[in-house]
Amino acid sequence: MSNKVGKNEAKRLKAQALKEFQSETTEEERERILRRGMGVDLGGALQKGEEKVFEKKLTKEEKKAAMAAKRAELAERRAARKAEKEDERASGERSSGQREEEE
């Protein structure tokens, strides 16, 4: 006693729901609803996230290469930040050293 719907029955119910939706709404209402991202488009597929569903999956090698590039970028940023701090410290020491000499 499962509540599982067969594939053909699901298609039939989907077509029936779409037909009902189209008969209840005007063309302008349908366009407005679809523009807002609500409901179902004429093909029956959900509009939100559809691009992600059909997006090409990355292989392990591609994922590893992407992660390596990301790590290299982060390391580069850290090195730049560290160099900035060193420059600030060095300039701070120089300016304090000059002040002591002037007094």
Side-chain angles (χ1 to χ4, degrees):
M1 285 209 189
S2 73
N3 293 335
K4 193 171 183 182
V5 178
K7 189 186 338 181
N8 291 334
E9 189 177 350
K11 286 181 183 178
R12 187 177 47 75
L13 291 173
K14 185 176 172 182
Q16 183 182 359
L18 184 60
K19 188 176 180 181
E20 224 176 89
F21 171 72
Q22 289 176 346
S23 68
E24 292 175 358
T25 58
T26 64
E27 185 66 32
E28 294 83 26
E29 287 176 327
R30 269 185 257 140
E31 286 178 15
R32 183 174 39 86
I33 289 170
L34 292 175
R35 263 188 265 122
R36 275 198 280 158
M38 295 173 51
V40 190
D41 67 359
L42 297 176
L46 287 175
Q47 288 185 335
K48 290 187 176 182
E50 189 175 14
E51 302 85 32
K52 283 189 174 184
V53 171
F54 297 110
E55 204 172 74
K56 182 186 172 231
K57 303 284 185 193
L58 297 176
T59 62
K60 283 185 178 181
E61 292 80 21
E62 291 172 330
K63 287 179 183 177
K64 285 181 182 179
M67 285 302 296
K70 199 175 218 179
R71 286 186 182 132
E73 185 182 332
L74 286 172
E76 193 176 304
R77 275 196 240 154
R78 285 188 193 124
R81 200 176 311 135
K82 187 174 181 180
E84 281 181 21
K85 286 183 181 180
E86 290 296 322
D87 288 343
E88 287 177 11
R89 283 188 194 136
S91 66
E93 289 174 3
R94 282 188 220 136
S95 63
S96 66
Q98 290 174 354
R99 287 183 199 148
E100 289 175 7
E101 290 175 8
E102 291 174 359
E103 292 177 1

